[in-house]
Amino acid sequence: DAKTTQPPSMDCAEGRAANLPCNHSTISGNEYVYWYRQIHSQGPQYIIHGLKNNETNEMASLIITEDRKSSTLILPHATLRDTAVYYCIVIDLGGGTSYGKLTFGQGTILTVHP
Amino acid sequence: GAGVSQTPSNKVTEKGKYVELRCDPISGHTALYWYRQSLGQGPEFLIYFQGTGAADDSGLPNDRFFAVRPEGSVSTLKIQRTERGDSAVYLCASSQKTPHTGELFFGEGSRLTVL
C-alpha cells in the first residue's frame, strides 16, 4: 500500500473549519484513501473514504486532487470533541485477496481550542 | 451495546506470566483483526481472521503470541512468557468481508502493562 505523509500537529479554533492535509504521491489505481481518528483512550473510529471523487458524510468531507496524489479531510465546524489524532491511510481493495489490513502512520494531532 | 467489546480493559502482569485478552466482535461480522498500539505510535497490525481461520498472521512479533477464534465469533489473543516490551494497548476490530472494505469497527482496547 502507498505511504502517506501528514503534518504532525495542527490547531483549529472551535466553530471554524479544520482542513487536514495528506500526501500520497505513490498511490495506485486500485488504492482508496481512508481517514480514521482516535480520541484519547479510545479505539480508532472510521470517518470517511474515497477513490477518485470528493465525498461527504455527516462527519466530514474528503477532497481528493485530480491526480490523486493528495487529499484533504475537512471538518466543517470543529468542536472541542474533535480533538484527536487523525490518520490518513491508503489501502488496495481492488484484488480478490484484499481485505481491510490498515497501515497506520503517526497521524496528525488536531487540537481544537475555544 | 452493539460495538466491539474487549476484556479486560486493563491488565497488569509480571514478566514471564501468561496473558489472555478477549475480543467480542459485532454480531455478524466475519472479519476480525488484532492490532497493537505502543505509546505515541499508530496501531500496528498483528493478525486477521476470516471466520475461524487466521488468514494473515504476518504481524505477530514472535511465537510467544498466538490468537484463536474457534467458533468464528469471539477471539482470544494469548501471550506467553510476557516481556516488558509487550506493554501496549491491544486493539480488536471487526468488519464485514463482503464487499471488501477498509471500514473497521474498533473496540476500546485492552491496556497491558508488564512489570
Side-chain angles (χ1 to χ4, degrees), chain B residues 19-111:
Chain B
V19 166
E20 288 191 351
L21 306 175
R22 175 190 166 107
C23 173
D24 201 337
I26 293 172
S27 177
H29 281 190
T30 56
L32 186 145
Y33 309 79
W34 284 98
Y35 285 76
R36 177 170 72 173
Q37 187 169 25
S38 299
L39 193 63
Q41 304 296 314
E44 175 189 23
F45 170 81
L46 295 178
I47 187 169
Y48 157 62
F49 285 91
Q50 184 52 242
T52 60
D56 182 350
D57 65 357
S58 62
L60 294 178
N62 52 58
D63 61 6
R64 295 187 299 104
F65 288 75
F66 190 71
V68 295
R69 194 185 185 199
E71 298 178 358
S73 178
V74 171
S75 175
T76 305
L77 179 65
K78 309 181 181 195
I79 310 173
Q80 298 177 322
R81 304 184 302 280
T82 52
E83 300 177 357
R84 292 193 179 86
D86 299 335
S87 296
V89 176
Y90 289 82
L91 294 160
C92 177
S94 68
S95 74
Q96 293 284 8
K97 177 179 183 289
T98 303
H100 293 290
T101 176
E103 184 176 352
L104 274 56
F105 296 83
F106 283 83
E108 297 202 342
S110 292
R111 180 177 298 277

Side-chain angles (χ1 to χ4, degrees), chain A residues 10-20 75-80 82-83 109-114:
Chain A
M10 293 184 66
D11 286 341
C12 178
E14 188 177 20
R16 305 297 292 268
N19 298 288
L20 292 92
L75 308 178
H77 305 287
T79 71
L80 299 179
D82 291 322
T83 292
I109 301 172
L110 175 68
T111 303
V112 181
H113 51 86

Side-chain angles (χ1 to χ4, degrees), chain A residues 23-82:
Chain A
N23 285 324
H24 31 78
S25 58
T26 61
I27 194 170
S28 63
N30 288 331
E31 290 181 316
Y32 287 70
V33 179
Y34 274 74
W35 283 83
Y36 277 75
R37 75 178 182 184
Q38 187 171 24
I39 295 169
H40 183 61
S41 296
Q42 296 184 19
Q45 176 191 24
Y46 165 82
I47 302 173
I48 198 167
H49 75 281
L51 181 63
K52 297 179 184 177
N53 300 320
N54 299 337
E55 302 288 344
T56 296
N57 63 20
E58 65 280 3
M59 290 183 67
S61 295
L62 174 60
I63 307 298
I64 302 175
T65 58
E66 192 168 342
D67 63 7
R68 303 210 318 125
K69 293 181 185 293
S70 66
S71 60
T72 301
L73 178 74
I74 301 171
L75 308 178
H77 305 287
T79 71
L80 299 179
R81 287 176 294 179
D82 291 322

Side-chain angles (χ1 to χ4, degrees), chain B residues 4-21:
Chain B
V4 176
S5 176
Q6 292 188 247
T7 55
S9 55
N10 277 286
K11 175 70 177 179
V12 180
T13 191
E14 293 180 344
K15 180 176 178 296
K17 298 289 189 183
Y18 170 80
V19 166
E20 288 191 351
L21 306 175

